Amino acid sequence: MPTAVATRSAESGRPLAPAFDAVDRPDREGILDCVHCGLCLPSCPTYLTTGLEMASPRGRIHLMRAVDEGQAGISADFVKHLDQCLGCLACQTACPSGVPYGYLLEAARTQIERRYERPAGDRRLRRVILSLFPHPERLAWLLVALSWYQRLGLSGVVRNTGLLALLSPRLAQMEALLPEVPSAAARRPLPGVTPAVGQRLGRVGFLTGCVQRFVLPDLNRATARVLAAAGYEVVSPQGQGCCGALHLHSGDLETGRALARRTIQAFERAQVDLVAVNAAGCGAAMKEYGHLLRDDAEWRSRAEAFRARVRDISQILAGVSWRQELKPVPVTVTYHEACHLAHAQRIRKEPRLILQRIPDLQLVELPESDLCCGSAGVYNLLQTEMAGRLLQRKIDRIRETGASVVAIGNVGCLLQIGLGLRQAKLPVRTVHPVELVDWSLHGMPDGEPRA
Amino acid sequence: MNGSGLAPETRTHLIRSCERIVGPEGVISAPDELRVYECDALTFYHRVMPDLVVLPTSTQQVADVVRLCREAGVPFLPRGAGTGLSGGATPDAGGVMIVLTRMNRILDIDVPSRLATVEAGFINLWLTNAVKRHGLFYAPDPASQQACSIGGNVAENAGGPHCLKYGVTTNHVLGATVVLPDGEVRQLGGKIQDRPGYDLLGVFVGSEGTLGICTEVTVRLLPQPEAVKTLLAVFRTIEEASNAVSGIIARGIIPVAMEMLDREIIKAVEANVKAGYPLDAGAVLLIELDGPRAEIEAEAVGVEATCREHGCIELRVARTDEERALLWKGRKEAAGSVGRITHHYYLQDAVVPRSKLPKILREIGEIGGRYGLIIANVFHAGDGNIHPLICFDLTTPGDLDRAIAAGSEIMKRCIEAGGSVSGEHGIGHEKRDYLPLMYSPADLAAMLRVRAVFDPAGLCNPGKIFPADRPEGHGDRNLQSPAMTAVSDR
Ligand SMILES: Cc1cc2nc3c(=O)[nH]c(=O)nc-3n(C[C@H](O)[C@H](O)[C@H](O)COP(=O)(O)OP(=O)(O)OC[C@H]3O[C@@H](n4cnc5c(N)ncnc54)[C@H](O)[C@@H]3O)c2cc1C
Ligand code: SF4
Ligand code: SF4
């Protein structure tokens, strides 16, 4: 593999004057790994939707290269096309050349956030949205506000609140995303330790996440119950907060690193064998902590050790031999592959496997199951139009399957697809695969389906 | 490099008019956006941005844009997925690029007649996926099939591994709706195979976007074979493997595919897909047989015996669909995987008579050694269609020149061996100066007359295929194509 780093443009022979600076700069070797073959194009949701090469992986890499080589600057157009990238990493799955697109994107976005002056409104909106996630209590506050908002409609009070006014164009989107805001009782935290049922196989730390903890509390309870039934003692460590995924995807690597260190520390203290995650986006980010902290002498090895323990819940459950009988769950289920499971973590078989083991559950394949639903972290709040088009496409595919349940291994997608189904008035229920396992172990829940 | 230096008023007029035709969201004119259209999958020597890019959604819109260009006297060119390897979808010197990616619908699938009509931007692999449930498939399967468009396939007369038995694109296209370079919409061919009169569709297929833009294509679908058998034969040397290829054909067996991968390619593939090709092999042959079960079982015996006669050290048979898919994934992603062993490659495409394979491969090895460059080989051995990938690094001074010189030598050797300078990737911009090595001036003049019948104004994808085709003012004088260098230093 050639390693010499160029000092002159290969094409023009001019000296390279990169518009990127040296801090978290997109790796030139990684950019050059792209041989421009175009095989990734149709896997990219934004290219598929627009037919534009600027909106394709190859195009985005080409633009990064132009900026890296000083042939172009960090212009509004450059920013626009990187903003529109979902970070779904479908291109990484498709690429035969091994281009580390995710790392390139992360780094390019950091350069943008540090070196590009966004229009004021845009800047504020991004700051507000991002400032919510590492702080579950702020989210909780917003949720309370939203539950009032839901009850009262567009009340004057809400409209006059500074924050909400700022958010207002997106507020409808955010509000729409939420299922019924869970009651305070439902939102109470998980117990610190859930004992294993029967003989203990090991001790699992559980990432409760910043969103699902409040928005989908049943999911976390189901996850803990299922892990316990599988023989694991389940700990949800104090002091864990946001995993930093959203910051990493939005060009704030510094905050991302701080959150990573905090997460690592919380789980180190809890002395767990494995770290279980039920949100694919968080799991994917945590598996990348080693890369994220690679230049941090103090944390590098701790990050590596932590990373090696992280498992998506489906990875753990696929290997479990159940001690109790699995009861029939007679529903037709289709499975949507979250990008951060299928593409970022390359986990495709395990979720299907755990569903197939449930008696009477009929699993039907979803066409384009690994095409992004448009949720992509906070993408749906920032790029509403593209997100909406992708969501519509996903809902159409789900409708075609005739399934009554769609299983989804990621929180963002659960909310996004849930929204799409509600808007389309399609009587299809959204659940996490682990919830179906929970139904099979502990009986189906009563009450309203979530979708 | 920037476009053709259109007068600003002309450019503004074109942008406004195109926006009226396709809507503002279908016209790209910002330099930072146009940049991504400055090359296709051939990236290293000819990069030119179009003046603007237009994305039509209907045949009528294509016709309107073409007419507009003709009236303004501005060159234009079609582009599909941009996976072409000869610079065909890169402007010669600016002009309007008409991109067909938004025309990607299925228009009709006629199962009883085994026909499909799709828009030109429809992706090759999608077609087979769409008709699978009817027990059908679309035979031409370029290694880029997951991304390339049917329109681009028609323009390049694309082939693929399975074309050894089934034939290339032209054998599967029955009709096309074409916007001629004057903006007229014409139907070439139709839904039936044999038509009296000149085969204008045959002329159009393989014309590399120089005779017009096809917007809809009707193709033949084939029934899936009763059985398929995929074998991997491992050899110590590429020469033994080449002899086996000739041996198999000489035995009267026509496999659907016979693909060769040499040691360097195996290394790259295994770094990517882990297809299970042995890393210590000199070469592997991927052989596929299809047809009635009894027939292919008998053929498999013949294939195995021939391979063993020629020194095959291991022969594996895919037992499951997954194993078969994995063996093929390795082959299909081979060229892309080369990014694992080099940053840049110059992919050659040439044909030699099958019997000359051992000789030409030996010569390629020598040429690589002489220039100090790795040359990896993956190719359609059954057709004698070789694809040497000359690996180099643009950032190493002199590497590019060496790669180009090595490429030219390979080309010359192929022609000396009675071969051709292009198997399936087209002449495009890259190989236009090689044509005189193959054709006499009279031959070329005859071809140019055909072209002039379709495109008298010379505005439709100018600068491609023909060395002489350089209307004043549109020539690209700074860059010589690789062949130009080769020809001039002869
Ligand atoms: C990794 C890799 C592997 C490949 N393997 C093969 C292979 O096995 N076999 C093979 O044959 N090729 C192969 N190719 C080359 C390429 O994929 C084919 O030539 C393909 O047909 C190009 O299709 P496209 O849609 O990308 O066309 P483009 O690259 O966009 O265009 C190619 C040419 O067609 C013209 N064109 C495009 N659309 C139209 C239209 N609608 N009407 C008229 N002209 C049009 C363009 O002007 C240009 O001259 C490979 C390429 C890569 C990168
Ligand atoms: S991450 Fe997703 S949206 Fe972004 S370039 Fe890759 S495939 Fe396209
Ligand atoms: S598939 Fe990989 S190498 Fe090919 S264009 Fe896409 S990112 Fe580049």
Side-chain angles (χ1 to χ4, degrees):
Chain A
M1 181 71 77
T3 48
V5 172
T7 53
R8 285 178 179 278
S9 160
E11 284 76 28
S12 65
R14 269 177 297 159
L16 297 180
F20 293 141
D21 68 13
V23 182
D24 289 321
R25 173 179 171 164
D27 176 30
R28 183 165 286 168
E29 289 290 315
I31 292 176
L32 290 179
D33 280 344
C34 174
V35 294
H36 220 78
C37 64
L39 295 190
C40 54
L41 296 181
S43 70
C44 173
T46 55
Y47 174 79
L48 211 52
T49 310
T50 62
L52 295 172
E53 285 202 33
M54 303 82 79
S56 80
R58 174 170 84 169
R60 291 184 174 116
I61 295 167
H62 199 67
L63 295 176
M64 285 185 211
R65 179 165 171 189
V67 173
D68 188 51
E69 295 189 346
Q71 294 166 26
I74 303 183
S75 63
D77 284 320
F78 178 71
V79 173
K80 173 168 105 192
H81 293 298
L82 286 193
D83 279 355
Q84 215 189 50
C85 171
L86 294 143
C88 69
L89 302 190
C91 50
Q92 239 174 249
T93 299
C95 175
S97 201
V99 173
Y101 181 81
Y103 295 156
L104 296 177
L105 176 70
E106 227 169 67
R109 283 188 168 162
T110 324
Q111 298 278 339
I112 291 173
E113 293 319 312
R114 281 190 294 106
R115 297 167 61 85
Y116 176 74
E117 184 87 6
R118 287 181 183 276
D122 189 19
R123 201 166 58 230
R124 252 178 295 147
L125 174 69
R126 298 177 74 88
R127 202 182 306 136
V128 166
I129 290 181
L130 283 175
S131 68
L132 290 172
F133 286 90
H135 301 288
E137 65 291 349
R138 285 190 208 163
L139 254 187
W141 178 84
L142 183 74
L143 281 171
V144 173
L146 281 175
S147 66
W148 278 99
Y149 177 89
Q150 278 183 339
R151 260 175 258 170
L152 302 178
L154 272 171
S155 81
V157 183
V158 172
R159 242 179 295 159
N160 293 335
T161 324
L163 170 65
L164 294 182
L166 186 62
L167 278 172
S168 74
R170 318 285 153 158
L171 188 57
Q173 178 75 9
M174 237 189 172
E175 193 261 351
L177 274 177
L178 295 173
E180 283 282 287
V181 171
S183 67
R187 293 201 310 262
R188 74 185 187 283
L190 277 181
V193 179
T194 309
V197 175
Q199 204 204 335
R200 198 183 87 159
L201 283 179
R203 187 170 150 96
V204 171
F206 177 37
L207 180 92
T208 49
C210 40
V211 182
Q212 66 266 41
R213 183 178 336 169
F214 292 99
V215 182
L216 302 172
D218 297 343
L219 167 58
N220 276 357
R221 274 173 231 295
T223 309
R225 263 197 307 273
V226 168
L227 280 170
Y232 291 100
E233 178 182 26
V234 186
V235 199
S236 47
Q238 296 292 304
Q240 58 165 308
C242 173
C243 65
L246 296 175
H247 301 81
L248 301 179
H249 301 159
S250 320
D252 184 1
L253 286 181
E254 267 324 301
T255 308
R257 289 191 180 105
L259 293 170
R261 291 189 195 100
R262 191 174 79 182
T263 308
I264 294 170
Q265 194 162 37
F267 283 91
E268 280 173 351
R269 289 212 184 107
Q271 300 191 325
V272 293
D273 305 313
L274 295 176
V275 176
V277 192
N278 61 13
C282 306
M286 290 156 76
K287 287 182 177 177
E288 291 296 346
Y289 281 177
H291 179 262
L292 182 65
L293 296 171
R294 66 195 181 285
D295 294 328
D296 185 329
E298 188 196 336
W299 284 84
R300 189 190 309 125
S301 53
R302 289 168 75 177
E304 278 298 330
F306 173 80
R307 180 193 64 84
R309 291 175 202 272
V310 177
R311 299 284 185 281
D312 182 70
I313 183 75
S314 66
Q315 291 181 290
I316 299 181
L317 297 185
V320 164
S321 43
W322 294 105
R323 296 158 178 192
Q324 66 195 88
E325 197 196 340
L326 290 173
K327 292 186 272 293
V329 179
V331 288
T332 308
V333 179
T334 194
Y335 173 64
H336 160 75
E337 301 193 85
C339 303
H340 284 101
L341 265 193
H343 301 305
Q345 302 186 55
R346 306 255 164 142
I347 296 175
R348 310 190 82 138
K349 286 200 191 120
E350 291 86 343
R352 292 183 168 92
L353 208 70
I354 63 176
L355 294 178
Q356 278 159 347
R357 282 167 68 186
I358 298 175
D360 290 359
L361 183 150
Q362 200 202 340
L363 184 63
V364 290
E365 275 301 318
L366 175 65
E368 303 183 339
S369 66
D370 66 350
L371 188 74
C372 183
C373 64
S375 158
V378 292
Y379 187 93
N380 48 2
L381 300 176
L382 294 168
Q383 300 277 336
T384 40
E385 200 216 320
M386 179 62 71
R389 287 168 79 175
L390 291 171
L391 178 57
Q392 189 52 51
R393 186 170 177 139
K394 182 61 69 180
I395 299 301
D396 289 345
R397 293 295 97 81
I398 292 173
R399 183 185 284 118
E400 285 158 22
T401 65
S404 60
V405 172
V406 47
I408 305 166
N410 192 31
V411 177
C413 316
L414 277 165
L415 296 179
Q416 171 87 344
I417 292 176
L419 162 72
L421 293 169
R422 279 199 304 282
Q423 284 173 343
K425 301 201 170 29
L426 208 61
V428 177
R429 190 168 176 166
T430 53
V431 297
H432 191 291
V434 77
E435 291 179 283
L436 287 164
V437 177
D438 186 48
W439 296 0
S440 180
L441 288 166
H442 305 116
M444 289 182 58
D446 315 317
E448 283 296 297
R450 189 153 62 220
Chain B
M1 190 182 295
N2 280 315
S4 59
L6 281 186
E9 323 78 74
T10 315
R11 188 163 181 271
T12 312
H13 161 71
L14 286 174
I15 293 173
R16 295 257 164 75
S17 311
C18 286
E19 284 181 347
R20 264 198 301 279
I21 297 169
V22 302
E25 71 295 335
V27 180
I28 308 298
S29 59
D32 272 356
E33 302 198 298
L34 291 174
R35 183 181 298 282
V36 302
Y37 293 100
E38 70 182 354
C39 57
D40 54 15
L42 173 77
T43 58
F44 62 81
Y45 86 98
H46 177 69
R47 288 195 190 179
V48 179
M49 283 189 224
D51 288 289
L52 70 149
V53 168
V54 187
L55 295 109
T57 53
S58 68
T59 301
Q60 191 53 49
Q61 290 183 358
V62 175
D64 290 348
V65 174
V66 167
R67 206 170 304 117
L68 178 74
C69 292
R70 201 197 51 164
E71 279 159 13
V74 172
F76 57 92
L77 79 161
R79 177 170 170 118
T83 67
L85 287 162
S86 52
T90 306
D92 182 44
V96 176
M97 182 183 274
I98 300 171
V99 174
L100 290 126
T101 50
R102 289 187 179 169
M103 293 186 64
N104 63 358
R105 290 172 308 160
I106 296 182
L107 299 173
D108 182 38
I109 292 183
D110 182 345
V111 175
S113 318
R114 292 185 186 148
L115 295 177
T117 303
V118 297
E119 288 182 326
F122 195 71
I123 289 169
N124 176 302
L125 186 61
W126 292 357
L127 188 49
T128 286
N129 288 344
V131 298
K132 212 182 272 166
R133 65 197 163 97
H134 303 297
L136 301 172
F137 75 108
Y138 178 59
D141 61 339
S144 52
Q145 71 180 141
Q146 70 188 75
C148 62
S149 71
I150 296 282
N153 293 169
V154 168
E156 299 286 11
N157 191 17
H162 287 74
C163 294
L164 177 56
K165 176 165 169 182
Y166 294 120
V168 294
T169 301
T170 194
N171 305 109
H172 299 269
V173 175
L174 294 180
T177 304
V178 172
V179 175
L180 295 173
D182 62 359
E184 291 267 332
V185 179
R186 283 294 155 81
Q187 181 67 39
L188 303 180
K191 287 195 164 193
I192 50 169
Q193 188 100 59
D194 298 306
R195 305 176 145 252
Y198 293 130
D199 178 11
L200 294 181
L201 180 64
V203 174
F204 188 84
V205 176
S207 63
E208 304 193 29
T210 61
L211 302 184
I213 302 180
C214 77
T215 55
E216 294 176 9
V217 186
T218 300
V219 297
R220 204 152 62 95
L221 303 170
L222 297 183
Q224 287 162 7
E226 181 192 316
V228 180
K229 204 174 182 98
T230 308
L231 304 94
L232 185 79
V234 183
F235 293 86
R236 247 176 255 116
T237 67
I238 196 163
E239 219 163 323
E240 287 173 348
S242 319
N243 287 328
V245 170
S246 294
I248 290 168
I249 304 275
R251 227 184 161 108
I253 300 171
I254 308 275
V256 246
M258 231 183 328
E259 299 288 301
M260 172 110 63
L261 298 92
D262 78 355
R263 190 191 299 270
E264 294 299 336
I265 282 286
I266 293 172
K267 222 192 294 174
V269 168
E270 288 301 307
N272 169 26
V273 292
K274 306 209 171 40
Y277 304 157
L279 282 165
D280 54 352
V284 296
L285 267 184
L286 186 59
I287 304 168
E288 189 156 283
L289 301 164
D290 78 2
R293 200 173 303 276
E295 201 171 288
I296 67 169
E297 287 307 332
E299 287 180 349
V301 174
V303 166
E304 170 154 13
T306 315
C307 288
R308 300 258 183 233
E309 273 163 36
H310 291 281
C312 165
I313 44 178
E314 189 190 345
L315 197 115
R316 290 189 212 156
V317 180
R319 280 157 308 185
T320 61
D321 281 351
E322 285 82 56
E323 284 184 15
R324 171 169 178 255
L326 191 61
L327 286 177
W328 273 110
K329 191 169 159 65
R331 165 60 186 97
K332 296 256 160 167
E333 295 193 357
S337 302
V338 170
R340 309 267 177 168
I341 56 172
T342 178
H343 279 150
H344 301 94
Y345 61 77
Y346 180 20
L347 173 49
Q348 301 274 302
D349 169 39
V351 185
V352 293
R354 218 166 16 235
S355 59
K356 297 280 171 51
L357 276 177
K359 177 166 177 289
I360 201 80
L361 290 166
R362 197 167 49 239
E363 290 176 357
I364 292 172
E366 281 161 18
I367 293 170
R370 202 144 26 79
Y371 285 93
L373 298 169
I374 292 177
I375 303 184
N377 287 286
V378 51
F379 57 96
H380 314 306
D383 298 323
N385 184 186
I386 59 171
H387 290 322
L389 289 108
I390 307 173
C391 302
F392 66 99
D393 189 348
L394 273 179
T395 60
T396 308
D399 240 27
L400 173 60
D401 296 338
R402 276 201 298 278
I404 290 176
S408 307
E409 259 195 60
I410 293 175
M411 278 298 151
K412 279 184 239 161
R413 299 289 174 85
C414 290
I415 293 169
E416 280 162 22
S420 150
V421 296
S422 171
E424 55 185 22
H425 297 168
I427 302 298
H429 200 282
E430 177 219 358
K431 291 208 198 105
R432 58 186 189 179
D433 298 314
Y434 283 123
L435 274 210
L437 299 181
M438 277 191 77
Y439 295 113
S440 71
D443 293 338
L444 289 172
M447 287 189 225
L448 279 166
R449 279 203 296 280
V450 173
R451 175 166 183 174
V453 170
F454 283 81
D455 182 24
L459 293 176
C460 188
N461 208 1
K464 309 297 163 67
I465 306 182
F466 300 103
D469 185 58
R470 293 183 152 202
E472 279 315 303
H474 293 300
D476 161 13
R477 299 205 167 69
N478 302 329
L479 285 160
Q480 289 185 320
S481 82
M484 207 57 185
T485 333
V487 174
S488 56
D489 69 15
R490 259 195 313 176

